[in-house]
Amino acid sequence: MTPEASPAALSPAAAAPVFKRVYVWELPVRLYHWLNALCVLVLIVTGLLIAHPPAITSASEASFSYWFGVNRFIHFATAYVFVFNFAFRIYWGFVGNQFSDWRNFLPLRRAQFRQVRAVLRVDVLQTTNKPIDAVGHNALAYFTYFAMFLVFLFQVVSGFAMYASMSQAWFPQLFRWAVPLFGGDYGLRQWHYMAMWFFIVFTIVHVYLVFYHDYVEGHGVMSSMVGGWKFVHPGTLKGNGRSWFPLSPKPPRNDVKPPPR
Amino acid sequence: MNLLESPPQTGGPTIWEEMRARGVSRRDFIKFCTWMSAYLGLEASGVADVVKALEKKRRLPVVWLHFQECTCCSESFIRSSHPIVADILLDKVSLDYTETLQAAAGFQAEECLHRTMKERRGEYLLMVEGSVPMADEGIYCVIGGRTALDIVQEAADGAKAVVAWGNCACAGCVQAAKPNPTRATPIHKVITGKPIINVQGCPPIGEVMAGVVVHLLAFDRIPQLDALGRPKAFYSRRVHDTCYRRPYYDAGLFVESFDDENARRGFCLYKMGCRGPTTYNSCGVMRWNNGVSYPIQSGHGCIGCSEAGFWDNGPFYQRLASFPGFGIETTADQIGLAVGAATIAGAAAHAVLTNVRKQHEIGEHPGESASLAPPPAVAEPDDQAKE
């Protein structure tokens, strides 16, 4: 079963152009995504517990229990996984395919801003239905992820700066300089906590938009982060400067990799 | 940082000689040196260095200035538990000028200050209590017809080093809290080019103040400072790390209100707004009033008085501070929940809009919506030309 054959067979309009399978998200990107999602979830839950520990009325000795210490340990350990996973993703921006290329994330080219305007018209305001021909993310999404990376960075810096005084390890000590910038640990904790709400709000919007794009466009956005493949219109792949940003010399790997079966 | 080179040892009794003349026994002197070495975090062999230094060194000239402050630093200092501690500053260092304690007044006092600044230029230590107002050309703190800024800059010019006592001099304390009407400014922001030691707290612990003075006397050197200019010997650990209630924190056992059963059991005051986890000070180790107690031991959370801006991080009985710019009692949680709810509402509205506006786009069969889409190259043929 070739990828071209199946949609056409099912479509009532047999003459309609068919979707083409494109390998968009490489395995390391997908692993990064899900590990990151897990880390963020764990960090939010343990972080909220640190901020708002539940009321426990107990007459037992403190030495019988250590749950709050364990909770904090999980938070700190997960932070390490989060930061190295994040560092790996940045590395992959330099060696991965053109959809994960670091240059997509920076607002450098006019074509990117054109697409941002198009996305605002089509997906946010919905004043037009002209489809956005983006294979990876669209330009607005790339910029949003760049902003998200900055928040990641802030969260890493502020978190490890607070952690530095509790740790002998060299890594947290690298972030001590951030303490005076916030006037002390208290300001750091305040902003670290505030930034957590960004993660919550981001997750709401992110999950909603995945549903939205999957529902409206039928490109298989939802499953692409599992299998790596998206289904796009062949015209999108012509490389007209809007489809994606062919900044890397590598040709798009549409159907270079054979379907697994 | 060996910035405090010893002044030439010309004449005059040494500190030990003066102490002996006043009837301090050798035993008490050694006890004092041992005690101070322990506070300074020196190893056992460091005691000998302190003893040797105090035996050989002459009195240190000190100018102690008071600006916008309440004198609680001086009060704390003269009430430090060991009698020699008070002696060390009031007698053993030559306290040439201090508004609160000196007998001289008016012209005599000013004369005394200027004589020290002239004759002991480059030798004396400048100790400052209080912040400096900068608004309206500094008229909110004027002594002898001169503004605090004027005085401190002149005095700092010839000083070996500057010691900023307390939160006022280190961070502005209450008078620098929003909206800071007099633009109260900490010493490190008005003096440049001199080593500045921030001895934080409101007030600092008396023994900590004494420890800093002994360190300067004994080693002629600025003690190791943290990133905020505080001596590491006393400010490298959080109150939380040395708190005797810490096991309750790790066990997740917290006081829920000041009159509950948990408060009676002495559980952790974290949820009552205790600032111990973000405050660097020695209260848990040295305690106050001759080691009697400290706020947490007395059942009240730490208010973080050795941290910059602690008045603006209120309310004190709330773990999360109210958020700047959002009214008095609005916390990060309330803002976050409001933004989160607005986001969900926005997403729901957008979902409804999508179903209305894009009902023809959303196909039941794969490829349907694509069939409606004109090929992009045709849609905007000028794209390629522009690139």
Side-chain angles (χ1 to χ4, degrees), chain B residues 126-138:
Chain B
L126 175 64
M127 297 185 174
V128 185
E129 211 178 322
S131 55
V132 175
M134 304 287 272
D136 299 327
E137 298 176 347

Side-chain angles (χ1 to χ4, degrees), chain A residues 50 52-53 123 133 185 193 215, chain B residues 270-271 280 333 350 355 376:
Chain A
I50 291 170
H52 304 290
D123 291 322
D133 305 302
D185 282 22
Y193 186 78
Y215 178 57
Chain B
Y270 179 71
K271 287 172 87 171
Y280 292 77
D333 279 321
H350 191 264
N355 277 297

Side-chain angles (χ1 to χ4, degrees), chain A residues 56 58 60-70, chain B residues 247-248 250-253:
Chain A
I56 297 172
S58 161
S60 72
E61 293 284 333
S63 54
F64 290 156
S65 171
Y66 197 69
W67 80 264
F68 202 62
V70 169
Chain B
Y248 292 107
D250 288 328
L253 298 171

